[in-house]
Amino acid sequence: MQRNVNVRVKGGLHARPIAELVRLSRAFRADIEILHDGRAALTRSSMKLLMLGVKEGQTVTLRGRGDDTQTAMDQICQFLDGAPATASPPAKPAIAASEGLAIGPAFHFVQPVVQPEPDYIDPLAVEAELRRLQGAAARLTARIRADAARTAHAATRQILQALSDLADDTEWLDTLEGRVRAGMSSVAAVQQTGAENARQIAALDDPYASARAEDMRSVAHLMTLELQGQQPLTLDAAPDGAIIVAEELPALDIGKTDLARLGGIVCLKGAVTSHAAIIARAYGVPAVFGAEALRDRLFAAQRIALDGTRGLVVPDPDAATEQQFANAAQAAQKDAADLLRFRDVAPRTPGGRSITVAANLGSVAELDRACAAGAMGVGLFRTELMFIDAASPPTEDDQYQAYSAILGRFPDHPVIIRTLDIGADKPLRGLTPTAEENPALGMRGIRLCLSRPDVFKPQLRALLRAAPHGHLKVMLPMVSDLSELRATHALIDQCRAELAQEGTAHGLFDLGIMIETPAAVLTADLLAQEAAFFSIGTNDLTQYLMAADRLNPNVAQLCRADHPSVLAAIKAVCTAATRHGLWVGICGEAAADPALVPLFVAAGVTELSMSPGAIARVKRQICGLEGL
């Protein structure tokens, strides 16, 4: 089958639309080629498509073969014609929380309603009400801990343990008891205090911290049900293969069942950083969050089709849509089976260049998934999440245990741990300034750490203690000046001297820096003389180079890692590193972008670090990068 089409994609086939075209093509079994100016490229090959050099307004020829060629050609023609291509009827895009496709019966997960009670009690009933509150809190905490002990999944267990700590938190319980002593009923005290705490957490300008508001709301709701003797609904009631539809799905609920038997999850609220999303990804269950616009249709639907990769949800899909999803799911399963071949591969380009493909991690709980995906070590461990998620800051020993555990899982590969990176969009109460006009340009990353040796030195000591357990490398975030690297070296020397005097075992590690600021790019030659390696954080580097807040939707079109200025900066950093014998990695989200991987490798990058789910795909892509 062959067809001509005029390309109306704005700007032609450059890196970003090519990435979209590749993702679209993978939903079909058919092989579709684009022929242009005597050359041909499969629509699944970003590198070949880029080399075609197709410009806006030019006419190309599509040639296809395979079972679903007609459907694939229609969708690809629609895409090239400048219209958004979808494999289903129009559906409201939401948040792609966990990759995968699913179709199944809807299971509406709605908890029992709390029965109304008077807000205030008789003063003579205060002691009895206190006993009621304390008993409910103890039973709830015990139940959560029992659920944590029963689960076999490390990520779920750790999250449930954290939630049990929240339910048993002294400050939380003291506030509740204080309000009951003042005459408030237990239910009113729990509802009011829970709502206040959730609002305060949600107001934090950080996706990881604000996602914890979900946990607070869940604990408060379950405690009110416990007070009234009501049994909460559990996901065990859902049939196998069901698509869960919920307002919000707290980890307290999602952690109690075998998620592997479910088809997928759709929530009206939620974020990709929520505990529910973390657990869904850990189990490989497709999930879409933030589908508020479809509320009425979702809760009336009998069946649901969802695409957790693109954030699409279709309530009560028609027969044609079901078939399209089924075809796409079949193609995805075939592709997943092919990717298994690359799990233990150390990828080399056809030209013989070795590229390390490592994992980005935020917690020890994610280690299982990284190892199962074939990660060649850790390219970025975000230590700030240990601080943000904890009820109290982790001690030196807490950090030592975590760092040692990570090193122990990768005895043959390097583990790169980033020192505390808070500030800007990751504030931490008690550490980050509260009144900065422009926190993205203020006290954050290494600047903040150097100003707080009481926080920074325990982390450096923990890292030095963990160093003998593996191939540890440490990198500093937001470096702008050589003095920051030198000051850190001086602190490390102090910590080593202290540990030696104490007789505490420790070792050495390579100290590298993240390239995230224009200053670091322009002084890369100078920094390379004293840094052990460079790791490029494309998220912040793009933001600062383009002078566009990456969290501001009004300028989102400027925050493109494929922008010529960003690619030129990466090339310049690689050139400087090569002159000084340093290796360069990329640990931003762009490291897994199919359209950008060939450009990064061509620029001289030798390490790419990403979410575990993308590792095998990127390994496969590297092995096919002809000419590199």
Side-chain angles (χ1 to χ4, degrees):
M1 182 180 292
Q2 193 162 297
R3 190 183 304 178
N4 293 332
V5 60
N6 185 257
V7 177
R8 292 192 175 91
V9 176
K10 186 173 179 59
L13 293 186
H14 54 86
R16 190 60 57 188
I18 283 174
E20 295 176 17
L21 178 55
V22 169
R23 282 193 287 269
L24 172 64
S25 301
R26 287 178 179 159
F28 304 101
R29 296 188 302 279
D31 291 330
I32 308 297
E33 284 184 308
I34 295 181
L35 287 74
H36 174 65
D37 198 21
R39 289 175 293 176
L42 281 172
T43 55
R44 294 195 186 97
S45 173
S46 57
M47 189 66 171
K48 292 283 185 67
L49 289 170
L50 197 65
M51 293 172 67
L52 287 181
V54 177
K55 296 181 172 57
E56 183 179 359
Q58 292 182 328
T59 298
V60 299
T61 300
L62 295 185
R63 185 169 62 197
R65 60 185 180 274
D67 294 343
D68 52 359
T69 296
Q70 181 68 55
T71 306
M73 292 274 270
D74 289 344
Q75 294 292 323
I76 291 171
C77 280
Q78 181 184 351
F79 176 84
L80 294 175
D81 196 40
T86 61
S88 57
K92 176 69 176 179
I95 299 170
S98 181
E99 293 184 359
L101 297 111
I103 307 172
F107 179 81
H108 302 116
F109 188 76
V110 181
Q111 289 288 2
V113 176
V114 176
Q115 298 303 309
E117 292 189 13
D119 287 347
Y120 293 94
I121 56 175
D122 188 306
L124 297 177
V126 166
E127 290 303 319
E129 191 71 4
L130 280 172
R131 290 193 295 273
R132 179 190 179 202
L133 173 68
Q134 292 161 353
R139 290 192 300 274
L140 177 61
T141 301
R143 190 166 70 245
I144 298 171
R145 288 177 178 161
D147 291 336
R150 280 194 298 270
T151 184
H153 198 282
T156 305
R157 183 167 56 254
Q158 192 170 70
I159 288 170
L160 289 176
Q161 287 169 344
L163 291 172
S164 72
D165 292 341
L166 179 60
D168 196 34
D169 180 74
T170 301
E171 186 174 342
W172 155 253
L173 294 176
D174 285 349
T175 301
L176 296 179
E177 291 184 10
R179 285 180 165 168
V180 170
R181 292 185 190 281
M184 189 176 285
S185 72
S186 294
V187 168
V190 170
Q191 289 177 324
Q192 181 174 321
T193 308
E196 289 173 357
N197 290 355
R199 279 195 299 271
Q200 291 175 9
I201 297 169
L204 294 174
D205 187 21
D206 171 62
Y208 289 97
S210 61
R212 302 292 81 81
E214 166 202 301
D215 302 332
M216 186 69 256
R217 287 190 292 268
S218 176
V219 166
H221 185 74
L222 289 180
M223 189 174 287
T224 55
L225 292 181
E226 190 70 48
L227 283 163
Q228 296 187 339
Q230 296 197 67
Q231 291 300 311
L233 179 66
T234 72
L235 291 177
D236 289 337
D240 290 355
I243 308 297
I244 306 301
V245 177
E247 178 90 20
E248 189 172 45
L249 199 56
L252 282 170
D253 298 311
I254 201 172
K256 296 177 184 178
T257 192
D258 175 14
L259 289 191
R261 67 181 188 80
L262 299 178
I265 298 169
V266 180
C267 290
L268 306 188
K269 299 177 181 177
V272 294
T273 52
S274 69
H275 281 150
I278 293 169
I279 296 174
R281 289 193 293 271
Y283 278 89
V285 177
V288 173
F289 288 176
E292 177 67 42
L294 297 174
R295 172 187 290 272
D296 293 341
R297 292 179 61 198
L298 284 169
F299 280 108
Q302 298 300 306
R303 287 180 65 77
I304 303 286
L306 70 89
D307 183 340
T309 304
R310 294 192 290 162
L312 295 177
V313 183
V314 184
D316 287 324
D318 58 25
T321 302
E322 288 229 16
Q323 187 59 52
Q324 289 172 350
F325 266 80
N327 291 343
Q330 187 178 24
Q333 288 174 353
K334 182 180 177 181
D335 188 61
D338 181 67
L339 286 175
L340 289 176
R341 299 185 295 119
F342 294 87
R343 179 191 179 281
D344 297 318
V345 167
R348 297 172 70 90
T349 68
R353 289 185 56 196
S354 295
I355 306 295
T356 298
V357 184
N360 289 343
L361 302 178
S363 70
V364 174
E366 297 173 50
L367 279 169
D368 287 345
R369 188 163 177 254
C371 292
M376 302 167 69
V378 177
L380 167 63
F381 182 72
R382 303 179 178 96
T383 60
E384 60 273 10
L385 301 189
M386 297 173 61
F387 288 74
I388 291 172
D389 278 345
S392 58
T395 65
E396 177 184 321
D397 283 341
D398 292 335
Q399 295 184 68
Y400 163 69
Q401 294 294 337
Y403 305 152
S404 299
I406 300 168
L407 288 162
R409 293 295 294 275
F410 292 100
D412 302 320
H413 294 291
V415 169
I416 303 176
I417 295 178
R418 180 173 69 188
T419 57
L420 188 59
D421 186 16
I422 55 172
D425 61 331
K426 289 179 286 188
L428 188 59
R429 193 172 301 170
L431 282 181
T432 48
T434 57
E436 288 189 307
E437 288 190 12
N438 193 340
L441 301 180
M443 290 296 286
R444 60 170 301 192
I446 189 60
R447 305 168 185 177
L448 184 59
C449 285
L450 289 172
S451 74
R452 291 293 303 269
D454 58 315
V455 175
F456 197 22
K457 283 184 66 177
Q459 180 170 53
L460 294 175
R461 283 171 56 95
L463 289 164
L464 287 164
R465 290 170 58 192
H469 295 281
H471 303 284
L472 176 62
K473 299 179 185 296
V474 176
M475 63 182 177
L476 309 178
M478 283 300 296
V479 170
S480 297
D481 190 83
L482 183 59
S483 64
E484 294 162 334
L485 180 57
R486 289 174 173 171
T488 304
H489 271 299
L491 273 181
I492 291 171
D493 289 342
Q494 288 181 29
C495 293
R496 288 181 61 201
E498 292 172 4
L499 291 168
Q501 187 173 13
E502 296 165 9
T504 303
H506 64 284
L508 296 174
F509 50 72
D510 288 341
L511 184 65
I513 65 169
M514 291 192 71
I515 302 290
E516 300 174 280
T517 66
V521 174
L522 294 172
T523 59
D525 265 307
L526 184 62
L527 292 166
Q529 296 176 31
E530 300 189 34
F533 61 90
F534 290 157
S535 185
I536 299 172
T538 52
N539 300 342
D540 272 323
L541 179 60
T542 300
Q543 169 177 249
Y544 291 126
L545 284 172
M546 301 305 297
D549 183 352
R550 61 190 175 96
L551 300 180
N552 185 341
N554 296 320
V555 292
Q557 73 279 6
L558 292 173
C559 284
R560 294 169 33 216
D562 66 338
H563 193 279
S565 65
V566 180
L567 295 176
I570 292 171
K571 177 62 177 175
V573 169
C574 290
T575 300
T578 300
R579 276 196 290 268
H580 296 274
L582 271 61
W583 61 266
V584 179
I586 292 199
C587 62
E589 291 300 316
D593 190 323
L596 295 178
V597 167
L599 305 181
F600 294 153
V601 174
V605 169
T606 57
E607 186 242 28
L608 297 168
S609 187
M610 62 204 65
S611 296
I615 287 173
R617 174 177 55 75
V618 172
K619 284 185 176 183
R620 180 175 65 182
Q621 184 180 9
I622 290 168
C623 292
L625 293 179
E626 297 178 8
L628 294 173

